[in-house]
Amino acid sequence: MDDLRKILQELKAGTIDVEHALELVQGSSRLDYATLDLDRKKRTGFPEVVYAAGKSAEQLVGIFARLREHQELVLATRVSDEQAEAVQKHWPDVRYEREGRLLISTKSPLKPVREGYVAIVAAGTSDWPVAQEAAWTVRCFGSEARVIADVGVAGIHRLFQRLDEIRAAAVIVCIAGMEGALASVLAGLVDKPVIAVPTSVGYGANFGGMAALLSMLNSCANGVAVVNIDNGFGAGYLAGMIHRQTASS
Amino acid sequence: MDDLRKILQELKAGTIDVEHALELVQGSSRLDYATLDLDRKKRTGFPEVVYAAGKSAEQLVGIFARLREHQELVLATRVSDEQAEAVQKHWPDVRYEREGRLLISTKSPLKPVREGYVAIVAAGTSDWPVAQEAAWTVRCFGSEARVIADVGVAGIHRLFQRLDEIRAAAVIVCIAGMEGALASVLAGLVDKPVIAVPTSVGYGANFGGMAALLSMLNSCANGVAVVNIDNGFGAGYLAGMIHRQTASS
Amino acid sequence: MDDLRKILQELKAGTIDVEHALELVQGSSRLDYATLDLDRKKRTGFPEVVYAAGKSAEQLVGIFARLREHQELVLATRVSDEQAEAVQKHWPDVRYEREGRLLISTKSPLKPVREGYVAIVAAGTSDWPVAQEAAWTVRCFGSEARVIADVGVAGIHRLFQRLDEIRAAAVIVCIAGMEGALASVLAGLVDKPVIAVPTSVGYGANFGGMAALLSMLNSCANGVAVVNIDNGFGAGYLAGMIHRQTASS
Amino acid sequence: MDDLRKILQELKAGTIDVEHALELVQGSSRLDYATLDLDRKKRTGFPEVVYAAGKSAEQLVGIFARLREHQELVLATRVSDEQAEAVQKHWPDVRYEREGRLLISTKSPLKPVREGYVAIVAAGTSDWPVAQEAAWTVRCFGSEARVIADVGVAGIHRLFQRLDEIRAAAVIVCIAGMEGALASVLAGLVDKPVIAVPTSVGYGANFGGMAALLSMLNSCANGVAVVNIDNGFGAGYLAGMIHRQTASS
Amino acid sequence: MDDLRKILQELKAGTIDVEHALELVQGSSRLDYATLDLDRKKRTGFPEVVYAAGKSAEQLVGIFARLREHQELVLATRVSDEQAEAVQKHWPDVRYEREGRLLISTKSPLKPVREGYVAIVAAGTSDWPVAQEAAWTVRCFGSEARVIADVGVAGIHRLFQRLDEIRAAAVIVCIAGMEGALASVLAGLVDKPVIAVPTSVGYGANFGGMAALLSMLNSCANGVAVVNIDNGFGAGYLAGMIHRQTASS
Amino acid sequence: MDDLRKILQELKAGTIDVEHALELVQGSSRLDYATLDLDRKKRTGFPEVVYAAGKSAEQLVGIFARLREHQELVLATRVSDEQAEAVQKHWPDVRYEREGRLLISTKSPLKPVREGYVAIVAAGTSDWPVAQEAAWTVRCFGSEARVIADVGVAGIHRLFQRLDEIRAAAVIVCIAGMEGALASVLAGLVDKPVIAVPTSVGYGANFGGMAALLSMLNSCANGVAVVNIDNGFGAGYLAGMIHRQTASS
Amino acid sequence: MDDLRKILQELKAGTIDVEHALELVQGSSRLDYATLDLDRKKRTGFPEVVYAAGKSAEQLVGIFARLREHQELVLATRVSDEQAEAVQKHWPDVRYEREGRLLISTKSPLKPVREGYVAIVAAGTSDWPVAQEAAWTVRCFGSEARVIADVGVAGIHRLFQRLDEIRAAAVIVCIAGMEGALASVLAGLVDKPVIAVPTSVGYGANFGGMAALLSMLNSCANGVAVVNIDNGFGAGYLAGMIHRQTASS
Amino acid sequence: MDDLRKILQELKAGTIDVEHALELVQGSSRLDYATLDLDRKKRTGFPEVVYAAGKSAEQLVGIFARLREHQELVLATRVSDEQAEAVQKHWPDVRYEREGRLLISTKSPLKPVREGYVAIVAAGTSDWPVAQEAAWTVRCFGSEARVIADVGVAGIHRLFQRLDEIRAAAVIVCIAGMEGALASVLAGLVDKPVIAVPTSVGYGANFGGMAALLSMLNSCANGVAVVNIDNGFGAGYLAGMIHRQTASS
């Protein structure tokens, strides 16, 4: 209600035009090839995020232009170098996290706004890009992210050495390719939710991440849920959401 | 019968030669590497369409040459830039819809010949190329196609905002990748046939469109049938056929 | 609007009580284990259909009790003998089509209300139960259904003998197991929409109907869309919907 | 440290014998066919849970006997009628939740110990048993569970009618078979974590729940993580863990 | 026995050296990376064929050098342009059938040595390369191969127009991608063995030829056996073998 | 032509009635649930065979009644004990080969009508039922079938001991479950066509015969083609057809 | 050579008859439905083992009768209760290990003949039957087998408590269902070969053991090889073979 | 214990600094993106091996730098040309085995340190790179590796010619693509462990090595265990481990 009143007042005052007001009231903004969801943050607590894969550079630029008008934060995932270049040509302030394939446009620098942190635990160095995608997504939520890399089960003492740091986290993101065993081992050792990300690291009978995916879905330890293969963003998102809820309640 | 008489009269009159008459009587025209189906339109109401993938540019040109003699409309799908260039070099009037990967050769401009329209509803901007393939196929049928882009279920109010326009359509093509949920939601809201097209948009456990395909085949809402992954052409074809039938009966 | 007025008038007049009126206004009716969709017919032109598999006999009876109050027609699919017995014990007038595994409860006998018919073309005798499911669903829509059985491609002259009857239909449902080739052959011979139903008839590398499913999705002939394996109901539903639309426009 | 001191004091005092003390110090108890994890609750906040499938009734009874000595709560999942009968013959106080296939042995009645609740949202009535499994697991955690049944997307207004109740929950468990679209739709409407459970409800190309599983893993809406097919227990466990963490911080 | 005597006589006469004699007696010739099967023709009626994929150009040249010493005919399949160039640089007389990706080295020109022919029936123009692979393999067997292209079931009259020619063949190779329906239709019309080759022509749910493969394995018509996807060579081989046997018995 | 004249003469003479004549002219006979292909033998050299699975006992009896009128030989595959009993109750002379699950109705005893034989080579004793299905199908073709059982590659000298007998056959059917290696080994040793039948013998990662199926399709030895899993009938059919062709030419 | 001399001497002496001598010389014994491999032990060090699944009780009895004549040890796997009863009716001394589904016929009691032991490490109690199959197979090899049950990674301290005992083994068999993580963890902790057996324990997305199978094939720790799902026999066999080799060299 | 004392003495003596001592005590060394397992050799008898795929060249160089400090042997697998170049630029003494895609850094030349050898038996020349990967891994273990190439079952006498050499090995690695039949045949002929490596050699229905993988898992011959597709390293590792154990016991 207050939102609506505010929109109408701004229209009255001439701060925004009729077209803009209409979009705000409807909670969406239309381009030929896109219908942007301006209402997303109100419903879910996080603004619309752009999935860049499969979009032309022109379309991505068009979407950024519109979203930057309406959102404090514009986040794009699965960005190619070519797309990043096109966006940064228009807005040099947009940050390109190349390892995590993210574009991040913010009005103010990202920094933690609440106590505690999310632990991003990765099994191997080859899982690093997915860990980066998760970590930066967590940071976009205003939470601290700590990446604990290369502590897979082949040398399990490495995990035990970091266990205190992991157990002290509010939420745990566990990233592993190959057989994905880390998720089960970890979940058996902690009393925090474990969001597991299977990765496509491996070859042959890992069938593009299927092995780790099935492994994590069938974890013998409890307290694990799984996101799509290589979906660091999705895990970071859910972890950020849980952390926000935990800290604020 | 009349067709046959007409062919023989033309032969008699010298308008066509024996070889040509023979092809017309047989309803097919033979090249080394192809046997063109000249009878297709009579049987199915739509002339033979060329599947360009896997054909050499020379073969495609050879097929266009022959089909243009016999058909008002020559449509080719899954066309590469290289193939398009080869065809347009011979016949600059042939239209290349690059986004939809179609070549369209017509004797007169495409325009709607009946009331009503087909709604092409796409879940995301990345589904745009498939939507274009569907839309132009509908237009080849002489129906109007309206593309309603990026109204996927992550922001479902966008769908409701366009619902009147969708419900007013004669047939609905629903295009979605990732989990393909749009098809079920849409089918639960309308009293028109929904032709669903799963797309390969996504990654990891979408397994090249399998996720959306299975999703659409298992729709809990009724009135949905499914075509192949990324097969905008097939959906546009069926939609055009239903619309034609609806309008003419 | 008129609907609402009518509900309130009936409430005022005492024909219905407050609880009933509430349900009608909300378009749904709640049981512990079910939320019935009373608004379905208004949105989609066909009332809610009950998927019986996985429900206890008690739950099914409870749902029938409630739906019979609100709907002219109550249709349940995938019914077991045990479930059918439980329902018929309460309401002996409910019809159990055992081959098609359907329960049909109607206030007046099913009969065609429009011109034309739907052709249900089945490849083999083993596809008969799926054909029955499709045929009775079509009849529930008020359309005539003609079953043309056992005209698969192993003896393709059988198909040609029935072709006139098939081509005269308004819509065609094509049912086939094993390799499902009938759908492609049929679609190449007609100018009507073909709704294809793969069946699980076969063994070994048919993988429960997967062979026919993939076959139909990849049809080289156009104008085919596919429903789930063994889903005679879904195909009959879509065919009925198209026929209704065709005849009424 | 205190734990250890307490064990030694009890041994000294003669309350427990050496064997028992040894088990407590080691955090495990050994049977021929089982090694019970007595330390589980200390590490993860929840005692060891018994997976009953694949165990003989004798083994299950043996495990119950031992665990009841050490744990306030003994929970067994995937229990058959025959197994339940064997356990209840020994301990009539053990509760058998037949729909959810759970055996629950508690020293005091289950009741909520914290504010708020977990919403268990199920798409169809056939998902009821999985919803029961999830709900009772949540209750074992000391949280309230509210089941909202049969609000799948085929009649999406049913979901909107319950949306306030769902949004007020601390965590959401979303249970759906067939195409599993409910998870995406729900996640787009709430600002709480959604734990999605694909079910095997459906047939044909649902491939035993694969369709819903892939669908949920590929959700276009964010904030969703997935557990194994039909794994109501796993979702209830994670939801209970998040709720506990949320409420206590 | 006579073979052995002949080898020893040649050794005695000095026509061959000890090493060569040893190889002939053992029926194999050894390179570091290969063990050539010189005995193959005696056992199976056809000399060893080289599978070029996965071999370096150097290895292929080395193998050709050795085999050309021992065999009238050297055939290599799955040859790349780069490999072909390397081989032809050494032996310009080797024929490179680029469409079928074959290298053929013969001492005398290939020509039919028996009555009758093998019909190579292909569903679409995109199946042409596989048809060429099959045809040239048949010719290597000394049989005539007739390619009948693009007579798929979408325009089934094209098949009937060629039926006499097909029925007069000794053996039939049937090549089809997409849904592979041609194999079933054809087998229902002829009294000759049908060797079916699924091709990877298609996209999406054809899963690299899986759709046609399953289709052909589940043919409702009898008298069909199947070879690997795109394996024109294998089908041509078996057809040649059957034709040879037929004609010679 | 002569066929037609003969039918008309019989009609004239009163030997057959109009209905019967009509069926003969059309080459098909219609029941409610079946359309029998009376023309099959003329086209393919073998009369229609009944696939019993999925048919009710009543339907099977109805089909036998009609086919026995028209065919010398009536063969049904995939017959259950219950179906066999129902058929034999009507016609005690029908032979039930229980191991191979076949019903065979003949006017005169089956016996070889040509020189030579088909070798049915099975890898293990568990493949025996499939071998029986193949052998009896071959016998229905008028060829001799010799079963060579349990000569799988785990003890490969058993195969070599029978090699002369196998090599003397006109055609070879090779039946194997588990890894199906026998087909490749055999094909490398003979100069006759090998029709390979993968069986579902095995467990776990044989996935119902998939392991043997893929193995046989990828045979490194040439001259092998494959039929469906457990399809002894299909292999026997093709082998019989090749043998007939070989012997008669 | 000595073997042959011994056979001939026995024949000469009349201890065996001609038929028997023939079998011994050939190394095989023929029944209608089986060809027993009498030479197996000489080649591989272990006599032929009978795979009982898919054999009739009569066939199994026939095979036992013949093998007991020739072998000290007759082992049958995958035995049903019905088969066991039939065999034990003839030979009450045959031992039926019901949990492991094995029949064991020995001339003298099984006991270890060499130093050291094989550790059979199982993740859960539900893996017990597979562990029994492995253990008894190891014992048939003359090695000691120690079963260490229920030490899966959900409570990893249980594994560490048994680690000394596991590390002291000569070979390790690791049995696990669900996600099969135990294999990787174990292999990272030991310097002995790990033979991993995935089991079908689990449900849903374990797809009959596929999850554990893929997991084990993709182990991030080295020194692991995998056998078929639920194949306790195969793992026990290989472990016994390695132990024998280790101890004897 | 002695290890620890030695570390402390070195620290005391100033040979190593505190940081280094800390790493040695903990058995791990930390980089941003990696946690190196310095304790690996003590636990498993072989130092940490680097999986190069998915790592940046910079990361790989960083890891090499650290590992070369601590390990006699540094082995990296799945190395690209670009990565190899980067590493060799820093340390020209590092050996790049390009065919096997390995980088090997040793302080002294690799040479056998024990009696006997590992036989690497490969089915075809296209399996050569995998054979090289296996052979060099075996050599890193200090064992002799003999590669026996191209003895697949299509010409099985080639295998028999090398059988003595294979049977004399301590362990056998069997490498095969396509249908992978060599593993079964080989295992039936030897009394040594067979470690089978399926390769991705082949096309179409080999599905990237799946055909050979399933084939090997379902071997009808005993004494076979399987590693991942194309995993020559894994097989070489296990073979080396078994050989070491055999020779030293």
Side-chain angles (χ1 to χ4, degrees), chain C residues 176-193:
Chain C
M178 297 183 174
E179 92 290 58
L182 184 58
S184 300
V185 172
L186 199 46
L189 294 168
V190 300
D191 61 352
K192 298 292 163 43

Side-chain angles (χ1 to χ4, degrees), chain B residues 43-44 167 170 188 190-193 217-218 222-228 233 237-238 241-242 244-246 249, chain C residues 43-44 167 170 188 190-193 217-218 222-228 233 237-238 241-242 244-246 249:
Chain B
R43 291 195 320 277
T44 68
R167 300 195 75 178
V190 300
D191 61 350
K192 299 292 163 42
L217 285 168
N218 286 282
N222 304 317
V224 182
V226 186
V227 298
N228 195 6
F233 163 70
Y237 189 102
L238 187 55
M241 184 184 255
I242 296 174
R244 181 181 61 192
Q245 189 178 357
T246 307
S249 62
Chain C
R43 292 195 319 278
T44 67
R167 302 195 72 178
V190 300
D191 61 352
K192 298 292 163 43
L217 284 168
N218 286 283
N222 304 317
V224 183
V226 187
V227 297
N228 194 6
F233 163 70
Y237 190 101
L238 188 55
M241 184 184 254
I242 296 174
R244 181 181 62 190
Q245 186 179 357
T246 308
S249 60

Side-chain angles (χ1 to χ4, degrees), chain G residues 43 167 170 188 193 226 245-246 249, chain H residues 43 167 170 188 193 226 245-246 249:
Chain G
R43 292 194 319 278
R167 301 195 74 178
V226 187
Q245 188 179 357
T246 307
S249 61
Chain H
R43 290 194 322 276
R167 300 195 73 177
V226 187
Q245 186 179 359
T246 307
S249 61

Side-chain angles (χ1 to χ4, degrees), chain A residues 113-177:
Chain A
V113 300
R114 62 185 70 89
E115 295 285 305
Y117 57 89
V118 173
I120 314 280
V121 185
T125 300
S126 300
D127 301 315
W128 182 255
V130 179
Q132 291 306 303
E133 192 189 40
W136 283 104
T137 303
V138 166
R139 287 166 195 143
C140 286
F141 257 90
S143 293
E144 182 187 348
R146 294 197 195 165
V147 177
I148 293 167
D150 197 15
V151 293
V153 302
I156 208 168
H157 63 295
R158 300 176 300 183
L159 178 65
F160 286 109
Q161 287 167 5
R162 311 295 291 271
L163 198 52
D164 288 344
E165 192 176 355
I166 296 169
R167 299 194 74 178
V171 193
I172 299 161
V173 170
C174 174
I175 299 171

